[in-house]
Structure formats: structure tokens, C-alpha cells
Amino acid sequence: MEKKASRRENECEEKNSNSEGSEQDKGYKTSLITLNVGGYLYITQKQTLTKYPDSFLEGIINGRIMCQFDADGHYFIDRDGLLFRHILNFLRNGELLLPEGFRENQLLAQEAEFFQLKVLSDAVKSRWEKEQLASRETTFLEITDSHDRSQGLRIFCNAPDFIAKIKSRIVLVSKSRLDGFPEEFSVSSNIIQFKYFIKSENGTRLVLKEDNTFVCTLETLKFEAIMTALKCGFRLLTSLDCSKGSIVHSDALHFIK
């Protein structure tokens, strides 16, 4: 009799445990929301969509705003399904994080306004304004002779990050070629200034070692700049001084994406 009673107690405990587990599973499942945005399905948590009170998404989840459903019973929102990825990431992260090279700021700002996310809309507009300002300001890098500023190379581009990358690459190449002679050039914000250039029949060489061997040429640095630009997706718009003929003989290069 005691064994039967014990068995019944165990069965009751298992039923209660299973009942509690099923309730937890049910609660977890109901916290997941599937949205159909312009034909793209997104699954996220209810708390993510209701993060910003008075937003469009919070309104439809809490029943303040009427929303259509698709054939599968998912909320249907007739907006840009691809851009909604960035809306959802903003709700998840609490900040604007966009992939490198993102160019749809105006469209994303419109989406943010539709979803009534003012914080996101302001962030996108601020980013857009900064990019517009940067595109109007041509950034340059000058490689020059400290004794003769007319000798050297000028690199123009409207992308400050690219100029910084070009500068670090040229400094790296120069240091590798000028092993033991780091005092032969200095670096400032937009200028790499060598102690002196040496003119020769084959072109302008930058530094002459004690054994009279040339360690670096201006043409080498031009090729480094062009190859770095191509690898980064930029193109050579034109050499700003075409009178020299070949690109390697020009005094300036202009890159654009």
C-alpha cells in the first residue's frame, strides 16, 4: 500500500512539473513575435518591439494601432523589408550601427520616422549630414621635400579614412626602405616631409645612403598609393597634372569612390 501511495505521489509531481514546464514554454512562445515587413519575415521578442513607448511597433503589439495580418497570421507592415533589419538592430542595441559603405541614409531616416522612432531618425540624419559635409571637403596628403615644397606628390580624396590609410602605408614603406635612417623624414597630419630629394635621370629618389645607393623613389610611393586605392575600391579620377604624360610622372593623384 505504501508503495502504491508513493507511486501516485510521484506521478502527481511529474504531472505538476510537466504542467509548469508547458506553461513556461507557452509563455516563452507567446513572447516571440513574427513580423512580415514587405515580404521579409523577422522573429524577435515582444520586449524588443515595445522598447520605445509611443512608437509604431509598440502601438501594434499593445493594440493601440490596428495592423493587418498576412495569410499565416503574422503582423504585416507594408514597408522596406531590407531596411527593417537596421530598425530592428537599433531596437536591440539601443544605438545606430550600420555596415561600412552604407549609403541609404535618406531612406532609413524615412523608415525611422514611419516607425515613430525619433531617436533613430535624429541619429541617421546626423550621420547623413556628417557624410555630406565630408564629401564636400577634399582631403589631401602631401609628400614633399623640406627644402623644396615644389618637389613631391599630392594625393587628393574626399574620404579622410582613406587618406589616413594611405599615409600609414607610405610611412610603413618609407621606414622599411630607410632602415637605419628614420630621421630622414617627419610626419604631420597631412604632410610627410622628407629631409631632401635627390634628382637623377631615372626620377626623384628620396634618400641617398652613405654608400651612394638609392633606397626609395617617389615612383615607388605613387605605385603604393595607387595599389592601396584600388584594393579599397577607389578609382583614379585623373592625375591633376596630365602634362607629364604617364601617371607615375604626375605631381598629383585624385581618387574617388
Side-chain angles (χ1 to χ4, degrees):
M1 293 292 292
E2 290 180 0
K3 289 183 178 179
K4 289 183 179 179
S6 176
R7 186 180 300 169
R8 287 175 182 172
E9 289 176 0
N10 290 336
E11 289 176 353
C12 289
E13 288 178 359
E14 288 179 3
K15 288 181 180 178
N16 290 334
S17 176
N18 291 335
S19 176
E20 290 175 1
S22 63
E23 288 297 324
Q24 288 177 353
D25 291 342
K26 184 178 179 181
Y28 177 73
K29 289 178 181 178
T30 55
S31 70
L32 295 179
I33 306 293
T34 301
L35 300 175
N36 181 341
V37 184
Y40 290 81
L41 293 182
Y42 291 90
I43 301 176
T44 187
Q45 297 185 72
K46 180 179 179 179
Q47 64 188 39
T48 301
L49 299 175
T50 58
K51 186 174 183 179
Y52 288 87
D54 301 324
S55 69
F56 178 85
L57 293 169
E58 184 272 334
I60 65 172
I61 297 302
N62 290 329
R64 292 189 300 101
I65 299 175
M66 296 297 294
C67 182
Q68 290 182 317
F69 294 89
D70 64 12
D72 296 318
H74 305 137
Y75 290 103
F76 177 75
I77 304 172
D78 190 15
R79 301 299 296 184
D80 192 318
L82 286 174
L83 284 179
F84 187 75
R85 164 198 172 196
H86 306 300
I87 301 288
L88 195 54
N89 280 335
F90 174 77
L91 294 175
R92 290 166 174 161
N93 301 316
E95 60 179 322
L96 178 63
L97 299 171
L98 296 173
E100 184 178 352
F102 183 80
R103 291 290 181 269
E104 297 183 301
N105 294 294
Q106 188 174 6
L107 289 174
L108 183 56
Q110 288 180 346
E111 294 301 296
E113 289 177 0
F114 172 84
F115 287 104
Q116 299 170 18
L117 294 167
K118 187 176 185 304
V119 178
L120 175 57
S121 177
D122 291 343
V124 175
K125 288 177 180 177
S126 176
R127 180 182 187 275
W128 186 22
E129 289 172 357
K130 288 179 181 177
E131 287 187 354
Q132 291 286 314
L133 182 62
S135 66
R136 291 193 294 267
E137 295 179 355
T138 300
T139 309
F140 74 94
L141 175 66
E142 185 176 351
I143 304 170
T144 185
D145 185 325
S146 60
H147 299 292
D148 185 359
R149 293 291 294 273
S150 66
Q151 296 294 325
L153 171 66
R154 291 159 190 81
I155 300 171
F156 296 85
C157 184
N158 59 358
D161 292 344
F162 171 71
I163 290 295
K165 189 168 186 175
I166 282 281
K167 182 170 70 173
S168 63
R169 177 60 184 165
I170 289 178
V171 167
L172 181 65
V173 171
S174 301
K175 284 184 177 180
S176 67
R177 298 298 182 89
L178 304 177
D179 185 28
F181 292 85
E183 72 282 355
E184 296 294 351
F185 72 98
S186 61
V187 182
S188 62
S189 58
N190 289 94
I191 298 177
I192 301 176
Q193 193 170 75
F194 285 84
K195 188 174 181 180
Y196 56 88
F197 290 164
I198 299 173
K199 297 293 288 185
S200 70
E201 293 180 1
N202 296 325
T204 303
R205 293 167 169 88
L206 301 182
V207 175
L208 182 65
K209 279 189 174 181
E210 292 178 352
D211 59 0
N212 291 329
T213 58
F214 298 116
V215 296
C216 195
T217 68
L218 202 54
E219 285 70 24
T220 298
L221 301 186
K222 290 177 186 178
F223 277 121
E224 288 292 338
I226 292 171
M227 293 305 298
T228 302
L230 295 178
K231 288 179 181 178
C232 292
F234 288 84
R235 60 189 176 89
L236 181 63
L237 182 64
T238 181
S239 56
L240 296 186
D241 182 2
C242 298
S243 62
K244 303 281 185 175
S246 172
I247 291 176
V248 295
H249 296 126
S250 64
D251 297 327
L253 302 173
H254 191 174
F255 297 106
I256 195 169
K257 198 167 237 182

